[in-house]
């Protein structure tokens, strides 16, 4: 019986690792659709596998890290032959999300993202800081092998770091919220959700395709989504904004048409970072305030029930009534 249970656990662990590897590979294939070549290095302004890897580690545990390594290997194989430099890139891409998961656990991160501190932790300890590892290892190895010239090291490093960090800030919240998102129950919420979706698509297309500087138009939509639907609304809107903006920057169209590719990447990551910070932090803040209000309302309701019970106990007459002691005067008369 113990052997059967151990074998079943081993099979589940292997299936989880393979599932993570498959998800990482699929995310890599999608990310490579928006790849750019900067100074001879293939980089992406948004790297979804990093966000997928961190979400899997937070949900399934650190034991699935071999799936990240396997997925990285499969993605590298699609770009070119797996050489010695690929081993270092594989190690960096695996180590970065693992360190991010450990840092988030250290500060008591909750995957519900229902506190402002959780949003801040995901941004700085999950995205910005740990992704320095993968960017430094990857760009350093490309520079050491001569794939990237010395003049292009910092551009490659910055683009690599920004792509990995944006993968965490854009993809991880979406994956974490999917398991607990609920469909609207009333007609009004459905109508508002549909209006938000249509507005997000229309405004983002206008902002990223018009030659006028209209990128700021996406922020009212993100604020609307965060205030009314919290992370369940802001995360999909943020992904939409990032994907359409990335496509416009890579093709050098719309507000990016008058800039070089490097300048467009700077403007793009400034937009992605600002939009991600706005949607993520505002969603977490609103969710935290809603939870506090619900706890206060529940405490008031419990207190009101206790007061009602005490009032009812005092108002209820006792039967039979207690016997009164005889009067002294009556006894003397007899």
């Amino acid at each position: 019986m113990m052997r059967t249970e151990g074998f079943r656990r081993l099979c589940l662990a292997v299936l989880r690792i393979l599932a993570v590897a498959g998800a990482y590979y699929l995310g890599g294939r999608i990310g490579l659709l928006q790849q750019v070549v900067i100074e001879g290095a293939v980089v992406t302004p948004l790297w979804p596998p990093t966000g997928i890897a961190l979400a899997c580690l937070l949900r399934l545990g650190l034991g699935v890290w071999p799936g990240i390594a396997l997925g990285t290997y499969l993605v590298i194989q699609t770009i070119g032959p797996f050489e010695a430099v690929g081993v270092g890139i594989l190690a960096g891409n695996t180590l970065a999300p693992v360190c991010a998961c450990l840092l988030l656990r250290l500060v008591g991160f909750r995957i519900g993202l229902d506190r402002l501190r959780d949003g801040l932790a995901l941004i700085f300890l999950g995205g910005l800081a740990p992704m320095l590892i993968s960017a430094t290892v990857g760009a350093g190895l490309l520079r050491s092998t001569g794939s990237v010239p010395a003049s292009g090291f910092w551009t490659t490093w910055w683009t690599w770091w920004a792509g990995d960090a944006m993968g965490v800030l854009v993809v991880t919240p979406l994956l974490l919220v999917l398991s607990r998102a609920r469909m609207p129950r009333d007609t009004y919420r459905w109508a508002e959700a549909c209006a938000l979706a249509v507005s997000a698509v229309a405004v983002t297309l206008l902002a990223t395709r018009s030659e006028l500087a209209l990128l700021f138009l996406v922020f009212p939509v993100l604020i609307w989504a965060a205030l009314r639907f919290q992370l369940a609304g802001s995360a999909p809107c943020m992904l939409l904004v990032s994907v359409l903006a990335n496509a416009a920057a890579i093709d050098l169209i719309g507000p990016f048409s008058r800039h070089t590719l490097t300048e467009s990447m700077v403007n793009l990551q400034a937009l992605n970072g600002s939009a991600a910070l706005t949607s993520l932090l505002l969603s977490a803040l609103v969710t935290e305030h809603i939870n506090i209000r619900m706890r206060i309302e529940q405490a008031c309701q419990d207190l009101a029930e206790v007061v009602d019970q005490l009032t009812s106990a005092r108002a209820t007459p006792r039967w039979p009534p207690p016997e009164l002691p005889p009067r002294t005067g009556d006894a003397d008369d007899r």
Side-chain angles (χ1 to χ4, degrees):
M1 186 65 179
M2 294 181 61
R3 291 183 179 180
T4 304
E5 182 66 20
F7 179 75
R8 189 178 73 86
R9 291 181 179 179
L10 178 61
C11 291
L12 289 176
V14 172
L15 289 176
R16 287 179 179 178
I17 290 173
L18 293 178
V20 171
Y24 192 100
Y25 174 74
L26 179 61
R29 295 293 295 174
I30 295 174
L32 289 175
L33 295 177
Q34 293 187 330
Q35 65 182 357
V36 293
V37 180
I38 298 180
E39 302 293 344
V42 178
V43 293
T44 58
L46 173 65
W47 188 237
T50 307
I52 295 173
L54 181 56
C56 291
L57 290 171
L58 292 173
R59 281 287 185 184
L60 304 177
L62 292 172
V64 299
W65 71 265
I68 302 173
L70 178 58
T72 304
Y73 169 78
L74 295 175
V75 173
I76 294 176
Q77 284 284 71
T78 62
I79 300 176
F82 189 82
E83 300 176 349
V85 66
V87 178
I89 295 176
L90 186 150
N93 286 9
T94 303
L95 186 60
V98 169
C99 289
C101 181
L102 292 174
L103 288 174
L104 291 176
R105 285 187 176 184
L106 185 64
V107 297
F109 175 79
R110 296 199 309 217
I111 60 177
L113 285 170
D114 54 357
R115 301 175 300 177
L116 180 60
R117 58 176 293 186
D118 296 325
L120 292 171
L122 182 62
I123 291 171
F124 294 101
L125 301 181
L128 300 183
M131 298 309 122
L132 295 172
I133 299 173
S134 56
T136 303
V137 172
L141 288 173
L142 292 178
R143 173 67 189 93
S144 63
T145 57
S147 301
V148 173
S151 59
F153 170 78
W154 288 112
T155 302
T156 303
W157 179 89
W158 180 85
T159 308
W160 194 311
W161 171 75
D164 283 354
M166 288 304 106
V168 171
L169 299 185
V170 174
V171 178
T172 300
L174 179 63
L175 295 179
L176 293 179
V177 78
L178 281 178
S179 60
R180 57 188 180 87
R182 299 293 181 267
M183 291 295 182
R185 296 183 177 180
D186 54 17
T187 305
Y188 175 78
R189 293 287 286 177
W190 266 109
E192 186 178 6
C194 293
L196 174 61
V198 173
S199 301
V201 173
V203 171
T204 306
L205 285 175
L206 174 64
T208 57
R209 294 300 184 272
S210 174
E211 294 186 358
L212 301 176
L214 300 177
L215 291 175
F216 62 89
L217 290 178
V218 302
F219 288 96
V221 176
L222 294 174
I223 294 173
W224 176 15
L227 290 177
R228 296 294 296 158
F229 298 94
Q230 290 76 59
L231 196 60
S234 64
C237 290
M238 180 58 229
L239 179 63
L240 173 68
V241 169
S242 181
V243 170
L244 294 181
N246 289 348
I250 292 172
D251 296 335
L252 296 179
I253 61 176
F256 306 99
S257 59
R258 298 183 181 90
H259 302 281
T260 65
L261 181 59
T262 302
E263 293 172 345
S264 296
M265 289 298 104
V266 174
N267 293 333
L268 171 65
Q269 298 302 3
L271 171 66
N272 285 340
S274 301
L277 290 174
T278 300
S279 60
L280 186 56
L281 294 182
L282 186 57
S283 298
L285 183 61
V286 172
T287 303
E288 185 176 22
H289 285 181
I290 291 176
N291 291 337
I292 293 174
R293 186 192 67 187
M294 292 176 62
R295 288 196 294 268
I296 293 175
E297 291 177 352
Q298 183 63 42
C300 293
Q301 183 178 354
D302 294 340
L303 181 60
E305 292 178 357
V306 172
V307 172
D308 289 340
Q309 292 176 0
L310 293 175
T311 304
S312 300
R314 290 181 179 179
T316 301
R318 292 179 294 176
W319 188 264
E323 296 183 359
L324 296 176
R327 293 183 299 175
T328 307
D330 295 341
D332 295 338
D333 293 341
R334 290 195 299 268

